[in-house]
Amino acid sequence: MKIARVESFRVAANRDYEGSAGLRPATAAAPAPGRGGRALSHNPGRHLCVYPAQAEVLLVRIATEDGLTGWGEAHAPPIPGVAQALIRDLFAPLLLGRDPLATDAIWDALYAAMRLRGYGSGVLLEALAGVDIALWDLAGKALGQPVATLLGGPYRTRLPCYLSGVPGATVEQRVASAREAVAMGFTAMKTSVGRGPLDEDLDGVEAIVEAVRGRADVLVDAHGVYDARSATAAGRRLERMGAGWLEDPLPPEDVAGYAALCAALDLPVASGETECTRWQFNEKLSRRAADVILPDVCRAGGITEGRKIATVADLYNVPWCVHASISTAVHLTAGLHLAAATPNFLLCEYPQSFRSSPLADALLQAPLRYEAGHLLLPDGPGLGIAFDEAALAAHMLDPYTPIA
């Protein structure tokens, strides 16, 4: 069995991704007097990422000479075309004719292709992730086994998840969204801060925490916008109100700052969606600069590297969580299979946008199964999902022909 075709396709939908994910700041009905305008509460949003105007993903399809196919996904917003060029111009020539079951050897060869030129992170690893996941999907189909089984699992087939994103234009609307999440069976949810004044942001979080106290944990994502002083102040206030964790409070380069923050707070500090390799995670974990790590399987080199990252975290007795955001079900199910096959998995992110996105269950022949705060592991060969070809073609930005 040899690789005969390596293709990638840009897919897009949902013209208001930021709003659907609950990423815009809420407006308070009546800001506390003298708080929102304090100079030390000002947040310029200096470190915030650029988000695409619409949800965009890059799907990767690898086929053998006899027509067996595997699907992967590269997490590359808002520049899927860059990952696409890397796959077409760099990876495809290295893949053609190789045995698709040699996942680890292929990963090592693709990573080495640009290693000494400084490309050990970022979009190159996102492109590599898309290829790697497609190879694991193909391997599972070739051998008639789920990916989690090929990885030596599963430890579990019901994977606890948290709803990511508490949407609403006002604090009151976000409180209502949080209560709705509890009614749906979620026992944890994540809300965003960092796009407004610190005190006003945290007032909104406290309202959500109070609304679901005793029924659900509220995780808080700061998107790397705080400096050392404001991260510590925010963390201490979140501790007092009973939040579940503080995610990405600092820019990812500030490893020393993360170590100091972890030492200063009892509140868990979570990070890691920016790191792409076991070496980067080892640097952070060896310095005790994370209490929970959040590798993104579609950014951190795919399933092959993701398993090694989980093992490194286990050496330091640190749990890991599946990170997911702008994605199709390929992204989410790749994370689920890895989570099912690793002992130190904690939680899976279930994006709020996934509930209604045209790129999510709407692209599948059968939807992913959610049950009382858990996602159920697909049990078919490979990733265990199949696209509805007509629905998929409707969202393609590139020429696309199904493989029979």
Side-chain angles (χ1 to χ4, degrees):
M1 186 169 61
K2 303 296 182 185
I3 296 172
R5 296 170 64 175
V6 180
E7 304 165 287
S8 59
F9 307 94
R10 293 169 299 141
V11 185
N14 191 349
R15 291 288 179 180
D16 183 22
Y17 171 75
E18 284 190 88
S20 67
L23 294 175
R24 292 202 186 94
T27 56
R35 299 191 71 195
R38 291 192 303 118
L40 292 181
S41 182
H42 176 64
N43 171 37
R46 174 179 165 220
H47 302 297
L48 286 173
C49 292
V50 172
Y51 281 87
Q54 59 184 349
E56 300 175 75
V57 303
L58 185 73
L59 293 177
V60 179
R61 182 174 67 182
I62 295 179
T64 63
E65 72 277 3
D66 57 358
L68 189 65
T69 61
W71 285 96
E73 183 172 334
H75 186 49
I79 49 171
V82 178
Q84 186 175 44
L86 286 166
I87 292 169
R88 181 189 63 238
D89 299 339
L90 179 64
F91 291 160
L94 299 173
L95 287 163
L96 295 175
R98 293 203 62 159
D99 179 355
L101 300 184
T103 49
D104 202 74
I106 288 174
W107 194 99
D108 194 65
L110 298 185
Y111 183 75
M114 297 290 281
R115 186 178 195 169
L116 290 182
R117 297 186 179 104
Y119 291 86
S121 190
V123 70
L124 185 95
L125 269 291
E126 291 172 339
L128 178 49
V131 168
D132 182 76
I133 292 165
L135 290 173
W136 278 99
D137 185 38
L138 197 158
K141 291 171 181 174
L143 299 173
Q145 296 291 333
V147 168
T149 301
L150 299 185
L151 292 170
Y155 285 87
R156 59 194 74 79
T157 57
R158 295 178 77 253
L159 296 118
C161 59
Y162 66 88
L163 187 62
S164 181
V166 183
T170 66
V171 171
E172 291 75 17
Q173 289 173 359
R174 292 193 174 186
V175 165
S177 294
R179 288 175 173 148
E180 179 186 352
V182 172
M184 293 168 57
F186 288 98
T187 57
M189 65 194 71
K190 185 164 75 180
T191 189
S192 290
V193 296
R195 286 168 167 80
L198 187 148
D199 290 332
E200 186 176 304
D201 265 352
L202 297 182
D203 287 345
V205 172
E206 191 158 13
I208 295 171
V209 170
E210 289 299 330
V212 299
R213 188 178 296 281
R215 296 178 294 163
D217 292 317
V218 178
L219 316 175
V220 181
D221 187 351
H223 303 278
V225 303
Y226 292 146
D227 58 22
R229 181 204 60 81
S230 57
T232 304
R236 286 174 176 159
R237 184 171 172 195
L238 289 169
E239 275 184 350
R240 291 194 296 271
M241 71 176 73
W245 76 37
L246 175 57
E247 177 178 334
D248 290 335
L250 298 166
E253 300 86 355
D254 188 7
V255 179
Y258 271 102
L261 191 63
C262 288
L265 299 177
D266 292 328
L267 176 74
V269 177
S271 66
E273 68 180 82
T274 56
E275 281 77 21
C276 294
T277 67
R278 74 202 91 146
W279 300 286
Q280 291 174 334
F281 278 98
N282 186 62
E283 169 68 13
K284 180 169 278 188
L285 291 165
S286 67
R287 296 172 66 176
R288 298 294 175 183
D291 298 309
V292 180
I293 62 165
L294 313 172
D296 188 313
V297 70
C298 288
R299 171 173 292 140
I303 292 169
T304 297
E305 188 67 2
R307 177 166 59 169
K308 294 172 183 176
I309 290 167
T311 299
V312 169
D314 206 27
L315 293 174
Y316 295 98
N317 201 29
V318 169
W320 76 278
C321 297
V322 174
H323 177 269
S325 58
I326 305 172
S327 67
T328 72
V330 174
H331 189 158
L332 197 54
T333 54
L336 291 176
H337 280 278
L338 183 60
T342 49
N344 55 328
F345 162 75
L346 180 62
L347 282 170
C348 177
E349 184 166 17
Y350 185 59
Q352 177 74 242
S353 58
F354 202 88
R355 296 175 57 208
S356 57
S357 171
L359 302 184
D361 284 337
L363 292 187
L364 301 180
Q365 293 180 15
L368 298 183
R369 294 174 294 165
Y370 166 79
E371 181 181 279
H374 293 75
L375 286 165
L376 306 187
L377 182 71
D379 56 8
L383 295 177
I385 57 174
F387 283 122
D388 179 316
E389 293 287 358
L392 181 62
H395 292 286
M396 286 286 185
L397 300 181
D398 299 302
Y400 172 72
T401 303
I403 296 176

